[in-house]
């Protein structure tokens, strides 16, 4: 079977919806025609000129990168910097670049889960769940049709709360309506007031799926005009947010944990605050620049917080309550390319998939 770039992008965006990315981000198809057939996919942390060359040599016309090569608007393409040169080379060689960045950071199967798995954490959960990503849908259906309507909503993505699916609240009541002469009612008669025994159905809905779920509702509902309304809710979405926290299978000495961290993440160096002479059981992580999550890491009861890009004065904020570890931005996210390859291989078994061999880390250590 031949797949288009659009189909690959659609699959990835179901796993990590673009609605979950930060406002500053640019997670999307950056170059390329989405209707082109996919010849091969190269997975990488960064899309650089050298990675474009690698894709050309491998015969790949789609690069799936974690970091967007374009963060800010480009006003010209003259090749004056590495960003412009990379974009020009990609376009000249018909190579699409797709970035899946903070949206992949924010899902439970994403970047931070991969870090957690590498260091052996169990019982993991989102460190700082996001708010304002959920709505409540309320609708009404004839009692005999309530199950069919609710099942259609569930199939479209409504009614999921944590590890529970098909969640709803239903209550029975009476609905009234009078069809106009121009109406085409399935129940009731034109011009005659009608009372119908109905079920009120309430379900939680991811806000970005509202249009899809309304389409499913209208398709399954017997009424010509469907009554419904959405309410935005501030509930935290426990499956979406920044960072992750988990537990080690057994307690470890701080020094032993750091040695394990260095080995499992293949690190050359770890910058960390002074040790607190505590046993390590709970660990918080955030790939990339995550020091903004330090208050959440403290509240979680973690003994260790692993992230990167920490400024000098920010290390003081540990205040002997937690050990902060800066393992490097590249080093914290490098295994994301393996995650991307695994996710793609679950769906696209007949597309050539590759891990980049290019080391895109701009930092070296003496």
């Amino acid at each position: 079977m031949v797949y288009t770039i659009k189909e690959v992008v659609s699959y990835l965006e179901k796993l990590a919806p673009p609605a979950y990315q930060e406002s500053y981000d640019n997670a999307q198809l950056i170059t390329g025609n989405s209707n082109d057939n996919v010849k091969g996919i190269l997975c990488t942390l960064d899309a650089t000129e050298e990675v474009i060359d690698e894709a050309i040599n491998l015969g790949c016309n789609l690069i799936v990168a974690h970091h967007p090569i374009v963060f800010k608007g480009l006003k010209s393409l003259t090749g004056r910097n590495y960003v412009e040169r990379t974009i020009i080379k990609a376009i000249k060689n018909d190579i699409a670049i797709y970035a899946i960045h903070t949206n992949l950071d924010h899902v439970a199967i994403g970047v931070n889960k991969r870090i957690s798995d590498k260091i052996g954490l169990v019982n993991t959960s989102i460190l700082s769940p996001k708010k304002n990503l959920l709505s409540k849908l309320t609708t009404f259906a004839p009692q005999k049709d309530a199950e069919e309507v609710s099942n259609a909503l569930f199939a479209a993505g409504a009614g999921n709360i944590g590890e529970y699916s098909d969640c709803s609240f239903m209550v029975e009541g009476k609905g009234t309506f009078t069809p106009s002469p121009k109406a085409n009612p399935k129940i009731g008669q034109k011009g005659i007031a009608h009372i119908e025994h109905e079920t009120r159905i309430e379900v939680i809905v991811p806000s970005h799926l509202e249009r899809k779920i309304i389409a499913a509702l209208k398709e399954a509902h017997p009424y010509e005009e469907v009554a419904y309304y959405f309410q935005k809710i501030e509930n935290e979405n426990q499956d979406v947010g920044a960072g992750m926290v988990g537990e080690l299978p057994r307690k470890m000495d701080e020094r032993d944990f750091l040695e394990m961290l260095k080995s499992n993440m293949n690190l050359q160096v770890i910058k960390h605050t002074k040790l607190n002479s505590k046993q390590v059981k709970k660990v918080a992580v955030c790939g990339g620049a995550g020091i903004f999550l330090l208050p959440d890491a403290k509240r979680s009861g973690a003994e260790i917080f692993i992230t990167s890009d920490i400024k000098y004065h920010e290390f003081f904020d540990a205040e002997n309550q937690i050990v902060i570890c800066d393992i490097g931005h590249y080093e914290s996210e490098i295994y994301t390319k393996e995650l991307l390859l695994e996710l793609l291989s679950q769906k696209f078994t007949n597309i050539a998939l590759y891990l980049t061999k290019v080391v895109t880390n701009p930092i070296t250590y003496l």
Side-chain angles (χ1 to χ4, degrees):
M1 182 175 180
V2 177
Y3 291 97
T4 63
I5 291 171
K6 182 187 297 184
E7 289 174 309
V8 174
V9 168
S10 177
Y11 168 72
L12 290 173
E13 291 186 347
K14 287 179 182 177
L15 299 175
Y20 294 164
Q21 68 179 301
E22 294 291 346
S23 58
Y24 63 81
D25 203 3
N26 189 33
Q28 63 172 329
L29 187 64
I30 295 173
T31 67
N33 186 334
S34 64
N35 293 316
D36 286 350
N37 292 333
V38 177
K39 300 174 183 176
I41 303 175
L42 180 60
C43 299
T44 183
L45 184 63
D46 305 285
T48 63
E49 292 177 83
E50 196 174 353
V51 172
I52 301 296
D53 289 332
E54 185 181 25
I56 295 169
N57 293 332
L58 291 170
C60 296
N61 66 334
L62 174 59
I63 293 173
V64 176
H66 183 46
H67 295 143
I69 181 64
V70 177
F71 264 111
K72 300 177 182 178
L74 294 175
K75 295 185 177 181
S76 65
L77 282 173
T78 60
R80 61 181 174 175
N81 56 46
Y82 82 96
V83 173
E84 293 183 10
R85 291 192 297 271
T86 300
I87 295 298
I88 290 171
K89 183 172 288 190
I91 293 172
K92 280 185 174 181
N93 290 277
D94 292 323
I95 293 176
I97 301 174
Y98 176 74
I100 181 168
H101 190 213
T102 51
N103 48 330
L104 188 61
D105 289 330
H106 288 153
V107 293
I109 63 168
V111 175
N112 296 305
K113 183 62 165 65
R114 180 47 53 110
I115 297 172
S116 299
D117 290 345
K118 292 292 291 185
I119 59 178
L121 300 184
V122 297
N123 302 323
T124 55
S125 59
I126 298 294
L127 179 60
S128 179
K130 279 186 170 292
K131 294 182 178 181
N132 302 313
L133 295 176
L134 298 170
S135 303
K136 184 180 76 170
L137 168 64
T138 301
T139 190
F140 311 84
Q143 290 178 11
K144 64 182 179 63
D145 300 296
E147 183 177 357
E148 180 179 350
V149 170
S150 59
N151 286 339
L153 296 175
F154 299 149
N160 295 313
I161 303 177
E163 295 299 321
Y164 294 83
S165 60
D166 303 346
C167 301
S168 67
F169 176 78
M170 297 186 184
V171 62
E172 294 182 356
K174 293 180 180 180
T176 66
F177 54 86
T178 301
S180 77
K182 295 182 179 180
N184 184 30
K186 182 174 181 179
I187 298 174
Q189 300 179 39
K190 298 179 181 181
I192 300 176
H194 181 81
I195 298 176
E196 181 69 24
H197 292 278
E198 294 183 335
T199 300
R200 175 188 175 111
I201 306 169
E202 298 181 1
V203 289
I204 299 298
V205 173
S207 297
H208 70 279
L209 294 180
E210 286 182 4
R211 293 179 63 182
K212 177 184 177 182
I213 288 169
I214 287 305
L217 171 63
K218 292 181 177 180
E219 178 69 23
H221 205 287
Y223 287 171
E224 182 179 19
E225 299 290 347
V226 182
Y228 68 90
Y229 61 91
F230 284 105
Q231 293 173 289
K232 296 295 183 184
I233 57 178
E234 294 186 3
N235 299 45
E236 293 178 341
N237 189 332
Q238 298 297 324
D239 294 324
V240 182
M244 185 158 279
V245 61
E247 298 177 339
L248 294 167
R250 58 178 180 81
K251 291 183 178 181
M252 296 181 67
D253 176 78
E254 289 169 321
R255 179 67 62 182
D256 292 339
F257 175 82
L258 293 183
E259 292 291 347
M260 180 272 286
L261 172 65
K262 188 173 183 180
S263 175
N264 288 19
M265 294 294 289
N266 194 28
L267 306 174
Q268 295 187 51
V269 64
I270 300 174
K271 294 166 62 179
H272 64 86
T273 54
K274 72 175 183 178
L275 304 184
N276 295 322
S277 300
K278 295 180 180 179
Q279 290 287 295
V280 179
K281 178 64 175 179
K282 185 173 284 188
V283 179
V285 305
C286 181
I291 194 61
F292 68 97
L293 290 173
L294 179 59
D296 299 278
K298 288 180 178 179
R299 280 193 294 270
S300 74
E303 290 85 21
I304 302 278
F305 179 39
I306 302 164
T307 188
S308 69
D309 298 349
I310 302 172
K311 296 178 181 178
Y312 173 79
H313 289 96
E314 291 171 334
F315 281 99
F316 286 105
D317 294 332
E319 295 186 309
N320 299 322
Q321 298 173 32
I322 193 170
V323 176
I324 301 174
C325 298
D326 186 333
I327 64 173
H329 197 122
Y330 176 88
E331 290 81 0
S332 72
E333 296 182 332
I334 183 57
Y335 298 105
T336 302
K337 64 181 182 180
E338 293 180 358
L339 171 63
L340 291 171
L341 185 76
E342 290 175 15
L343 293 175
L344 289 166
S345 65
Q346 292 170 12
K347 172 71 173 178
F348 305 103
T349 56
N350 62 336
I351 295 179
L353 302 172
Y354 300 92
L355 284 177
T356 182
K357 295 181 179 178
V358 177
V359 177
T360 59
N361 191 358
I363 300 169
T364 56
Y365 301 95
L366 181 62

